[in-house]
Amino acid sequence: MLWDGQLWQLTTLEAWKMWIETVIYWAGWINSPAWQVAKILDSDWYTHNSPQINQLISLKPEVISIEWENIPIELLRELESKWMNIKPNIEMIETISEKRTEKELLVNIWQNTTQFVFINSIDDLIKVFNDLWKWIIKTPNWYDWKWQIFINSIDDIKKLKDSDIWENFIYEKLVDFKTEISVIVWRRKNWEIVVFEPIENKHEKWILINSISLANIDEEIKEKAKKIAIQITEILAIEWILAVEMFVLNDWTILINELAPRPHNSWHLTIEWYNQSQYAIFIKAILDLPFWELRLINKTRMMNLLWNCNNKIPTNSHKIIQKWNFTLYNYWKKEIKPWRKMWHITKVY
């Protein structure tokens, strides 16, 4: 696995149950979430010509996969040239990791998205600002919350005037939505498809705070959301896992926000919600194993605890703590940074 965060920590813990060995290829983040539970192959991982690549190849892994979509494409292509089995396919990662191509893709397959304009200079921004008013500017890649700015006035634009990072930015309309939901779909080579029920997500300053099952929307909207996620998966012929984030508007219209070809932080709660978690299905997708039947076993609510929640965590907690109706998951991140996800709690109700 390339990268080393909480998604791979939880995937590795699930892999243990299936007698599957995992190795992390990443630049030695000691005491990182996955470092605690998996082998680490220390590497200059962001460089496609790193000498450590030969060490990775010598392990003869059955599959190389990703924890997030911003893995350098050059690294993936180098590994593929060495006859490594990369999942999902590099073309899909490249398309989804860049918001511009992702937006174009969604428009081309007739899916509604938020309104957007591509901009490449401060002059472009000033020009569209006069027509579009209060929108939001996003980088072409990385997560939304990593780099995005509200544009409410011409003064906000002036603050960006000296920036030298203008290229393929997206100016996107702010959406007045009723709720935000997400759906995860898996599709195998034999066209077998598994889809979870939609969940409702709550954010603060673009950071996911709560996920709730089941989403507080009527059955018709739930079925429509699942059909949209399945349709995207089938049209793109994705033989993989795909998370689809959506906005449900006040008139019950559904807009697509983003895609992610990997497990999703909003879906930690599947560990307690279903008989098979998203991590179990993720491993089965990697190895093309039968999915089996999904069954709901609980209603759950997940809360992310961020860098400023130290007082809510038991002292010296370095393990998963289970009580009668909740479970605390510690990611063991040693460095506390603003807005970093440090723990999550899942409650059964």
Side-chain angles (χ1 to χ4, degrees), residues 108-225:
N108 288 337
I109 61 176
W110 309 290
Q111 296 297 339
N112 290 333
T113 70
T114 53
Q115 290 180 255
F116 61 92
V117 178
F118 296 134
I119 56 175
N120 293 290
S121 69
I122 195 76
D123 291 333
D124 289 346
L125 180 57
I126 292 172
K127 183 178 179 180
V128 297
F129 171 79
N130 292 327
D131 296 327
L132 305 179
W133 191 229
K134 296 180 181 180
W135 283 27
I136 190 169
I137 188 169
K138 296 181 178 181
T139 51
N141 44 38
W142 304 96
Y143 293 136
D144 274 357
W145 65 272
K146 292 283 188 180
W147 204 104
Q148 61 182 26
I149 297 174
F150 284 114
I151 305 296
N152 294 309
S153 69
I154 199 70
D155 289 336
D156 292 333
I157 297 177
K158 290 178 180 178
K159 294 175 185 177
L160 300 173
K161 198 168 183 65
D162 296 329
S163 175
D164 59 355
I165 57 175
W166 295 98
E167 184 179 359
N168 295 333
F169 274 54
I170 294 176
Y171 197 41
E172 188 172 293
K173 185 177 182 180
L174 290 173
V175 177
D176 182 19
F177 56 85
K178 187 179 185 70
T179 188
E180 182 174 344
I181 62 174
S182 57
V183 178
I184 286 188
V185 180
W186 287 263
R187 176 177 170 270
R188 293 183 64 200
K189 290 181 180 179
N190 65 0
W191 288 81
E192 180 185 3
I193 287 180
V194 170
V195 57
F196 281 122
E197 294 293 320
I199 60 172
E200 188 172 1
N201 299 311
K202 306 291 184 182
H203 291 77
E204 292 180 11
K205 295 185 177 180
W206 307 305
I207 304 291
L208 177 68
I209 299 299
N210 292 110
S211 292
I212 304 166
S213 71
L214 297 161
N216 186 27
I217 52 179
D218 63 36
E219 289 301 318
E220 182 180 350
I221 299 301
K222 288 179 184 177
E223 291 304 312
K224 183 178 179 181

Side-chain angles (χ1 to χ4, degrees), residues 40-97:
I40 290 284
L41 181 58
D42 194 13
S43 64
D44 183 11
W45 79 276
Y46 225 82
T47 305
H48 70 277
N49 58 0
S50 169
Q52 284 89 343
I53 284 181
N54 290 329
Q55 296 182 45
L56 175 60
I57 293 170
S58 68
L59 293 174
K60 299 180 179 179
E62 186 170 348
V63 180
I64 293 176
S65 192
I66 62 169
E67 194 206 47
W68 72 325
E69 53 271 31
N70 289 114
I71 300 296
I73 296 299
E74 294 80 8
L75 172 61
L76 297 174
R77 294 200 186 284
E78 178 66 18
L79 290 169
E80 189 176 57
S81 73
K82 305 295 185 182
W83 301 99
M84 295 290 99
N85 182 17
I86 309 294
K87 287 189 175 183
N89 68 70
I90 296 175
E91 288 71 24
M92 186 176 79
I93 298 172
E94 189 171 22
T95 298
I96 293 178
S97 66

Side-chain angles (χ1 to χ4, degrees), residues 256-283:
I256 309 299
N257 181 29
E258 283 192 327
L259 307 177
R262 53 170 174 79
H264 202 272
N265 278 287
S266 64
W267 286 79
H268 296 320
L269 51 71
T270 54
I271 297 173
E272 287 81 16
W273 184 20
Y274 275 85
N275 64 322
Q276 299 178 84
S277 70
Q278 69 162 342
Y279 303 104
I281 300 291
F282 180 43
I283 293 169

Side-chain angles (χ1 to χ4, degrees), residues 8 39 42 54 69 74 157 233 249 253 330:
W8 193 236
K39 293 181 180 178
D42 194 13
N54 290 329
E69 53 271 31
E74 294 80 8
I157 297 177
T233 302
L249 307 188
T253 300
N330 190 338

